[in-house]
Amino acid sequence: MRPIALALVALLILGATLPAADAPPKVGNLTGQLLVATDELRDPRFVRTVVFMVRHDAGGAMGLVVNRPLGEVPLAALLERLGMEGKAVGGEMRVHYGGPVEATRGFVLHTSEYVIEGTQVVDDGIALTAQPEIFRAIGSGAGPRRALFALGYAGWAPGQLEAEIAGGAWITVPADEALVFDENYEKKWNRAMARRRIDL
């Protein structure tokens, strides 16, 4: 596992509430869609990223980058860092760069058949959990069918994302389980870009 991923996991903070989302949604709500960086976007934090939009409303926007894996950590070690029993658990958990905001906060994006207190069902069979209990469930085989563990998130102030889209930095495309959880990271951006609509 890359040292940066191990360091971030060691600082993992789970259980915090998601950013407030009590403002009414704006027209053109992007929640549950994919935000895809265009070649116009030169910010190295977002070059050729694919972002699953967790929230988009009058209070701003939040999403998780889904195509930048950092490395893997043994699931047993992750559970132990969270103060849980990990001896009987095998396998590894891939760690992803979720975005530059609060890089030590962890989020698990997953299929929505798994729901616990605090889980946010986003859209179309995809949910988000920021509670450490999900790792115990994954380790015991009782967790979601598919999951993506991300550290940090991408966030935008009110109106900021809309301005970036208008400036050509991002396009939006439909999201689905197959693309969000696809492990072919090298081609995920290309697959997402192929979904763009051409308006005549």
Side-chain angles (χ1 to χ4, degrees):
M1 178 177 184
R2 295 179 184 176
I4 186 172
L6 186 56
L8 288 173
V9 171
L11 293 172
L12 177 66
I13 300 174
L14 281 172
T17 56
L18 298 177
D22 49 7
K26 284 185 173 181
V27 175
N29 192 306
L30 300 178
T31 301
Q33 295 190 45
L34 292 175
L35 195 63
V36 188
T38 70
D39 286 329
E40 301 297 315
L41 184 54
R42 302 295 185 183
D43 185 334
R45 301 172 300 173
F46 292 111
V47 168
R48 291 204 164 194
T49 52
V50 179
V51 180
F52 179 78
M53 296 304 296
V54 173
R55 179 174 62 80
H56 179 223
D57 56 30
M62 173 190 176
L64 296 175
V65 175
V66 296
N67 67 328
R68 281 204 183 166
L70 296 171
E72 295 186 349
V73 62
L75 188 52
L78 180 56
L79 288 170
E80 288 168 4
R81 287 191 185 103
L82 293 169
M84 299 180 184
E85 178 59 52
K87 290 180 182 177
V89 176
E92 296 189 324
M93 190 82 180
R94 184 171 287 120
V95 183
H96 299 77
Y97 167 79
V101 183
E102 294 189 63
T104 59
R105 276 183 70 183
F107 302 90
V108 180
L109 197 63
H110 57 89
T111 48
S112 62
E113 80 283 355
Y114 174 87
V115 176
I116 59 174
E117 185 176 354
T119 295
Q120 174 188 343
V121 176
V122 181
D123 191 43
D124 196 26
I126 299 175
L128 181 75
T129 298
Q131 308 299 328
E133 289 80 8
I134 190 170
F135 293 106
R136 190 199 305 274
I138 291 171
S140 66
R145 285 183 298 105
R146 306 184 78 175
L148 186 150
F149 171 38
L151 288 174
Y153 66 91
W156 293 265
Q160 182 183 0
L161 180 57
E162 292 83 347
E164 292 180 9
I165 291 172
W170 303 95
I171 63 166
T172 59
V173 301
D176 59 35
E177 177 186 325
L179 184 53
V180 170
F181 299 107
D182 184 7
E183 295 187 357
N184 188 341
Y185 301 102
E186 297 289 326
K187 294 186 178 180
K188 192 178 281 192
W189 183 83
N190 288 322
R191 288 186 59 201
M193 285 297 282
R195 295 186 175 195
R196 62 186 159 181
R197 288 185 317 212
I198 299 176
D199 295 323
L200 301 175

